[in-house]
C-alpha cells in the first residue's frame, strides 16, 4: 500500500510550507489529509477519484496530487519546495523538540541551515534570546542533537522492517530468485538496525543483481557484483544482497543472521569438535567432508545443539542452554488470544467499536479490551466520565450480540503528575480492565516519576501499566525511573506491565524482562491499536518478549478472557 508514502509526503509538504511561513490553513489541510490517508484502511491506489473526494479533508487539489503520485511516484509541488529551501533545513526537523515554526524562526534570525550551527547557538544560549524560545526548549534541543548523534546510522526496526519486506516482495516478484530471506539484526528483531541484509539463491545471479540495483527508490549503487551488491535507498539505509549457492543457503543464513557474538561461540564449538564452520557450510576438519549447510537447522544439529530461534542469538546464555537441550519454550504468535490496549473512534482511534470487534475476530482473537483515553488527555479526545459510562453500556449491548468474542470494557487512564488517576474510583470499579499510563510531565525528577508510577500500581483498580518509560525509539528518550523498585512493586501488587508493541515504542524494553521474569512480574503484550491493520504489530511485541526469553505462561493475554480477568483482579489476591 502506498498510503504511508503519500501521508508522509503530505506531512513533509506541510513542514516545508510551515518553514516558509505560508498560509496556516493550507498547512493544516495537508496535515489533516495525511492523517485521513494513513488511517484509511484500504489501499489508496484502488480508490476512484470520486471516492477520494468523499474522504473528509480531501478536495480537488489534494486528490490531484494523490493521482499524480500514484502515476509518477512524485509530487511536483513537493520537489519544487524542496529546491527552494537549503537542504540542511529539512534535516533540522529531525531534531526532537524542534518543529517547523522554530526552524523558520532560526533560519530568519540566524540563518541556521544545519545541525552543527544549531548546536553552537544553543550552547551559547543564543536561542533562548529569541521570542518564544524558552531555556527549557534550548536544553531540549541540545538533548535532541545528542540523541541524533547517538543513533547516527542506526534506525528503528519499526521503520526498517517494512522497507525490508517491501524489497523482499519486490525481488520475489521481479527477479529470478530461488530462496530468499532477510537476515542480520532485522531477523533477530533487534530494536534498532544499521542496514538491511538479504540472502538469496539464484541460477542467474547477474540477472538478479541487475534488477536489484535498478529497483525504485534507490539513491546510489555502492557496489555491484555477482555474489554481493550494495545499494543506498532514498531513505538513506544501505541494503546488501548476497547470492549464495543452494547447498549453502542454510549456513549463509545462519552466518549473516548473527549475531557476531553468537557466531563466534558456534565456531568455537565447531573447532573443539574437529569441525569447521563458515558461511559455506559445516565441514569435517580432517578431510573437508561437508556435513551440512543446505538448511539452517543442519548447523545446530551437527554441533549437537537444539535449534536456537533467531531472536535469542545474542550470546546471552542460549548456547549453553541449547547444549543441554533446555532452551525455554518461547511465547509464540499463536499463543496470543487478545489485545489489551485498543483505542476506538470514541477517543483518537479510527474504528468504531463494532468494527474493532470484527477486525479483532478476523485477526483470530477471542477478546479485546477497549481502552480509550481518559478525560485529561484533550489532544487525544479523552472520554469524559459520562462518555465512559455511555461506552460501558454500548459495550454491554454489543457483547450480548457477539458470539464467541468478547469486548472487555476498559480505559487507558492518565496517571496524573501526583500519581492519582484521571477517573473516579467508583467509575474505574465498573471496568474489566484499567491500563494506567503517563502521558505528560515527562520532565519530572526520577524520584517523582518513580513515586508517581508506584502510586498508580498501588491502586486496587489498576490492572496494567502502559508503555512504562514513555520512549519513542530515535525520537524521545525514556524518562528516568528506578526500575528495580518499579518491578518489585509490580510483583507485590500483581500489577501487570505492558510490552507496548507499537513499533517505535517497544516499551517495556527487553533489558528489563530478565529481572521481570525472575521477580514474577505479570506481563501483557499489547499493540496500542489506533488504526486498521495495527493488530499485526503484535509481532513486534512478541519478538521483544522472545528476546527477553518469556514463555507462554509468563504472558497473561495468552489466557482465555475468564482466566485473564481472574489474574488481573488484584483485590481478590490481597
Ligand atoms: P547491525 O547491522 O549493526 O544492525 O547488526 P547485524 O547483526 O545485522 O550486523 P552486520 O550487518 O554487520 O552483519 C550481519 C551478520 O553477519 C552479523 O550479525 C554476523 C555476521 N558477521 C558480520 N561480520 C562478522 C564477523 O566479522 N565475524 C563473524 N563471526 N560474523 C560476522
Ligand atoms: Ca545488518
Ligand atoms: Zn498511551
Amino acid at each position: 500500500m502506498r498510503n504511508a508514502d503519500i501521508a508522509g509526503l503530505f506531512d513533509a509538504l506541510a513542514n516545508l510550507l510551515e518553514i516558509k511561513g505560508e498560509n496556516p490553513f493550507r498547512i493544516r489541510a495537508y496535515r489533516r489529509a495525511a492523517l485521513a490517508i494513513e488511517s484509511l484502511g484500504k489501499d489508496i491506489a484502488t480508490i476512484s477519484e470520486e471516492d477520494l473526494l468523499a474522504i473528509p479533508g480531501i478536495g480537488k487539489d489534494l486528490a490531484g496530487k494523490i493521482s499524480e503520485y500514484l502515476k509518477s511516484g512524485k509530487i511536483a509541488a513537493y520537489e519544487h519546495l524542496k529546491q527552494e529551501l537549503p537542504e540542511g533545513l529539512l534535516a533540522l526537523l529531525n531534531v526532537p523538540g524542534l518543529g517547523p515554526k522554530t526552524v523558520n524562526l532560526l533560519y530568519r534570525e540566524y540563518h541556521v541551515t544545519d545541525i552543527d550551527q544549531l548546536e553552537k547557538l544553543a550552547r551559547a544560549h543564543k536561542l533562548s534570546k529569541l521570542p518564544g524560545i524558552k531555556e527549557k526548549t534550548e536544553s531540549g534541543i541540545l538533548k535532541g542533537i545528542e540523541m541524533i548523534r547517538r543513533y547516527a546510522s542506526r534506525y528503528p526496526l519499526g521503520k526498517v522492517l517494512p522497507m525490508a519486506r517491501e524489497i523482499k516482495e519486490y525481488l520475489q516478484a521481479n527477479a529470478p530468485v530461488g530462496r530468499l530471506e532477510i537476515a542480520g539484526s532485522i531477523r533477530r528483531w533487534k530494536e534498532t538496525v544499521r542496514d538491511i541484509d538479504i540472502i538469496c539463491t539464484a541460477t542467474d545471479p547477474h540477472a538478479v543483481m541487475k534488477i536489484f540495483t535498478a529497483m525504485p527508490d534507490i539513491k546510489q549503487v555502492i557496489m555491484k557484483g555477482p555474489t554481493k551488491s550494495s545499494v543506498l535507498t532514498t531513505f538513506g539505509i544501505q541494503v546488501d544482497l548476497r547470492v549464495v549457492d543452494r547447498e549453502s543457503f542454510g549456513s549463509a543464513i545462519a552466518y549473516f543472521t548473527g549475531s557476531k557474538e553468537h557466531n563466534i561461540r558456534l565456531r568455537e564449538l565447531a573447532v573443539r569438535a574437529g569441525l569447521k564452520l563458515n558461511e559455506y557450510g559445516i565441514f569435517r576438519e580432517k578431510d573437508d567432508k561437508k556435513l551440512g549447510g543446505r538448511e539452517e537447522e543442519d548447523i545446530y544439529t551437527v554441533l549437537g545443539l537444539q535449534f536456537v530461534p533467531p531472536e535469542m542469538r545474542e550470546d546471552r546464555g542460549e548456547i549453553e542452554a541449547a547444549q543441554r537441550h533446555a532452551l525455554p519454550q518461547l511465547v509464540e504468535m499463536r499463543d496470543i488470544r487478545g489485545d489489551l490496549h485498543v483505542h476506538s473512534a470514541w477517543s483518537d482511534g479510527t474504528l468504531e467499536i463494532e468494527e474493532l470487534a470484527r477486525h479483532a475476530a478476523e485477526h483470530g482473537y477471542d477478546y479485546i479490551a477497549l481502552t480509550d483515553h481518559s478525560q485529561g488527555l484533550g489532544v487525544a479526545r479523552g472520554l469524559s466520565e459520562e462518555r465512559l459510562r455511555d461506552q460501558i453500556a454500548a459495550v454491554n449491548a454489543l457483547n450480548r450480540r457477539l458470539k464467541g468474542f468478547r469486548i472487555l470494557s476498559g480505559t487507558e487512564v492518565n496517571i496524573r503528575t501526583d500519581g492519582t488517576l484521571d477517573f473516579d474510583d467508583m467509575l474505574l470499579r465498573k471496568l474489566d480492565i484499567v491500563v494506567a499510563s503517563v502521558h505528560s510531565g515527562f520532565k519530572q525528577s526520577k524520584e517523582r516519576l518513580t513515586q508517581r508510577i508506584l502510586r498508580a500500581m498501588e491502586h486496587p483498580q489498576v490492572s496494567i501499566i502502559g508503555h512504562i518509560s514513555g520512549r519513542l525509539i530515535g525520537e524521545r528518550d525514556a524518562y528516568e525511573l528506578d526500575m528495580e523498585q518499579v518491578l518489585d512493586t509490580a510483583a507485590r501488587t500483581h500489577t501487570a506491565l505492558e510490552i507496548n508493541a507499537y513499533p517505535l515504542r517497544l516499551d517495556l524494553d527487553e533489558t528489563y524482562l530478565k529481572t521481570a521474569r525472575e521477580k514474577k512480574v505479570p506481563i501483557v503484550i499489547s499493540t496500542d491499536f489506533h488504526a486498521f491493520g495495527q493488530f499485526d504489530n503484535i509481532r513486534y511485541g512478541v519478538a521483544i518478549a522472545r528476546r527477553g526469553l518469556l514463555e507462554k505462561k509468563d504472558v497473561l493475554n495468552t489466557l482465555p478472557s475468564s482466566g485473564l480477568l481472574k489474574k488481573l483482579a488484584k483485590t481478590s489476591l490481597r
Side-chain angles (χ1 to χ4, degrees):
M1 296 215 306
R2 319 241 61 184
N3 299 31
D5 298 345
I6 296 176
L9 266 175
F10 279 4
D11 261 329
L13 249 163
N15 285 338
L16 289 178
L17 290 172
E18 204 163 353
I19 291 177
K20 282 193 70 187
E22 299 247 343
N23 181 345
F25 291 103
R26 260 185 84 204
I27 296 167
R28 208 167 318 136
Y30 277 117
R31 292 209 203 286
R32 271 193 27 222
L35 256 179
I37 293 166
E38 201 158 41
S39 53
L40 203 53
K42 54 184 166 189
D43 190 345
I44 194 156
T46 65
I47 299 177
S48 70
E49 177 110 19
E50 204 178 313
D51 288 343
L52 269 182
L53 289 170
I55 300 169
I58 297 196
K60 265 229 144 57
D61 174 46
L62 294 185
K65 292 205 166 63
I66 293 169
S67 331
E68 181 190 351
Y69 180 79
L70 290 174
K71 274 191 215 109
S72 69
K74 281 197 168 92
I75 297 180
Y78 175 69
E79 303 299 325
H80 285 309
L81 264 175
K82 255 195 349 191
Q83 312 227 309
E84 274 177 44
L85 294 164
E87 205 178 320
L89 229 45
L90 277 178
L92 286 178
L93 285 177
N94 295 332
V95 178
L98 197 58
K101 260 205 202 78
T102 316
V103 172
N104 168 289
L105 181 69
L106 295 174
Y107 181 53
R108 276 190 290 124
E109 294 292 326
Y110 291 133
H111 229 84
V112 177
T113 54
D114 64 41
I115 291 182
D116 291 339
Q117 263 175 303
L118 177 71
E119 185 178 15
K120 259 195 216 131
L121 290 168
R123 287 209 188 288
H125 299 292
K126 291 242 169 97
L127 302 187
S128 50
K129 300 235 159 53
L130 293 175
I133 298 190
K134 297 190 209 109
E135 252 169 66
K136 234 169 142 182
T137 315
E138 191 171 63
S139 59
I141 287 173
L142 280 172
K143 263 199 199 141
I145 293 174
E146 187 265 324
M147 180 156 69
I148 284 193
R149 301 236 155 99
R150 182 153 32 92
Y151 274 98
S153 66
R154 288 197 81 79
Y155 303 93
L157 177 66
K159 289 220 169 115
V160 176
L161 180 57
M163 297 178 200
R165 282 181 174 156
E166 231 176 85
I167 295 171
K168 176 178 177 178
E169 281 161 25
Y170 182 87
L171 292 175
Q172 283 174 330
N174 297 289
V177 295
R179 293 167 79 177
L180 183 143
E181 198 80 64
I182 300 166
S185 47
I186 301 180
R187 185 159 177 250
R188 304 198 310 277
W189 293 83
K190 210 173 141 138
E191 66 186 34
T192 63
V193 305
R194 186 177 54 85
D195 62 1
I196 300 176
D197 306 288
I198 303 178
I199 314 292
C200 74
T201 64
T203 44
D204 186 355
H206 288 279
V208 171
M209 291 313 194
K210 196 171 162 202
I211 291 164
F212 173 67
T213 51
M215 286 190 305
D217 300 325
I218 282 179
K219 189 154 70 183
Q220 188 194 336
V221 175
I222 297 165
M223 67 178 265
K224 184 177 172 185
T227 58
K228 183 185 172 191
S229 297
S230 300
V231 299
L232 199 64
T233 70
T234 47
F235 172 80
I237 195 165
Q238 182 170 332
V239 188
D240 295 346
L241 176 67
R242 288 181 173 82
V243 177
V244 303
D245 194 79
R246 286 177 50 174
E247 293 307 312
S248 303
F249 185 73
S251 43
I253 273 293
Y255 182 88
F256 290 109
T257 295
S259 65
K260 190 170 166 182
E261 291 74 17
H262 178 87
N263 286 356
I264 290 172
R265 295 292 312 278
L266 290 185
R267 269 209 307 277
E268 281 170 9
L269 286 183
V271 169
R272 239 178 287 154
L275 304 167
K276 193 174 74 193
L277 172 64
N278 54 35
E279 61 264 52
Y280 306 108
I282 184 156
F283 307 86
R284 205 156 56 193
E285 181 68 57
K286 65 172 197 278
D287 55 5
D288 257 357
K289 183 177 158 44
K290 187 164 179 175
L291 304 177
R294 189 185 171 89
E295 304 303 327
E296 191 175 40
E297 284 80 359
D298 297 350
I299 310 300
Y300 293 92
T301 310
V302 172
L303 289 173
L305 301 176
Q306 197 181 348
F307 181 76
V308 180
E311 295 99 318
M312 290 183 75
R313 299 181 196 169
E314 300 287 352
D315 192 23
R316 296 179 190 156
E318 76 278 7
I319 305 269
E320 292 74 8
Q323 282 180 308
R324 286 181 278 115
H325 284 253
L327 286 174
Q329 191 68 45
L330 300 182
V331 60
E332 294 183 36
M333 282 287 277
R334 61 158 185 264
D335 296 330
I336 306 293
R337 306 284 293 267
D339 199 317
L340 300 178
H341 189 158
V342 175
H343 296 276
S344 77
W346 285 54
S347 65
D348 60 347
T350 58
L351 299 191
E352 295 303 333
I353 304 176
E354 188 159 0
E355 293 174 311
L356 272 173
R358 214 177 321 124
H359 188 26
E362 274 162 16
H363 189 82
Y365 284 159
D366 302 333
Y367 54 85
I368 52 169
L370 193 59
T371 55
D372 276 314
H373 290 290
S374 63
Q375 48 194 358
L377 205 61
V379 286
R381 303 205 301 128
L383 271 54
S384 65
E385 300 211 329
E386 195 188 335
R387 293 253 300 149
L388 180 55
R389 271 193 209 96
D390 290 348
Q391 190 180 62
I392 296 171
V395 165
N396 287 341
L398 199 51
N399 272 331
R400 279 192 290 276
R401 283 200 282 125
L402 294 172
K403 296 219 162 55
F405 189 86
R406 184 162 170 204
I407 306 167
L408 305 169
S409 348
T411 177
E412 181 183 15
V413 66
N414 274 354
I415 303 174
R416 296 195 191 116
T417 48
D418 62 356
T420 60
L421 302 181
D422 191 31
F423 277 137
D424 192 75
D425 289 1
M426 285 291 285
L427 181 54
L428 293 177
R429 248 174 258 158
K430 294 192 198 308
L431 299 168
D432 297 314
I433 289 209
V434 174
V435 178
S437 309
V438 166
H439 286 120
S440 60
F442 298 146
K443 300 222 162 84
Q444 287 181 321
S445 67
K446 179 173 177 179
E447 290 67 35
R448 291 236 2 231
L449 271 157
T450 304
Q451 285 311 316
R452 192 173 162 192
I453 285 177
L454 295 191
R455 184 161 178 198
M457 288 196 291
E458 297 286 353
H459 194 292
Q461 245 57 52
V462 170
S463 343
I464 299 166
I465 303 290
H467 46 71
I468 193 146
S469 84
R471 74 166 176 175
L472 287 173
I473 299 172
E475 289 174 20
R476 184 170 78 204
D477 277 333
Y479 40 74
E480 278 193 274
L481 284 177
D482 181 343
M483 280 305 288
E484 189 75 21
Q485 242 187 319
V486 167
L487 293 170
D488 279 334
T489 309
R492 179 174 51 75
T493 60
H494 298 279
T495 311
L497 297 187
E498 170 186 275
I499 295 177
N500 188 299
Y502 181 70
L504 293 187
R505 286 195 184 269
L506 307 182
D507 179 16
L508 186 62
D509 85 45
E510 63 181 53
T511 52
Y512 299 115
L513 291 179
K514 179 165 183 267
T515 322
R517 207 162 18 94
E518 286 162 1
K519 294 187 194 285
K520 295 197 168 42
V521 174
I523 298 287
V524 302
I525 309 175
S526 311
T527 62
D528 207 342
F529 183 103
H530 281 83
F532 190 87
Q534 290 182 343
F535 284 130
D536 291 335
N537 285 343
I538 194 78
R539 181 64 182 94
Y540 287 88
V542 169
I544 293 306
R546 288 166 66 86
R547 286 176 61 85
L549 310 189
L550 296 192
E551 304 189 282
K552 183 178 174 185
K553 65 169 169 44
D554 301 316
V555 178
L556 293 186
N557 51 325
T558 60
L559 293 167
S561 62
S562 53
L564 171 82
L565 289 177
K566 256 184 233 141
K567 287 267 189 191
L568 287 177
K570 297 160 76 167
T571 32
S572 66
L573 286 165
R574 286 203 245 164

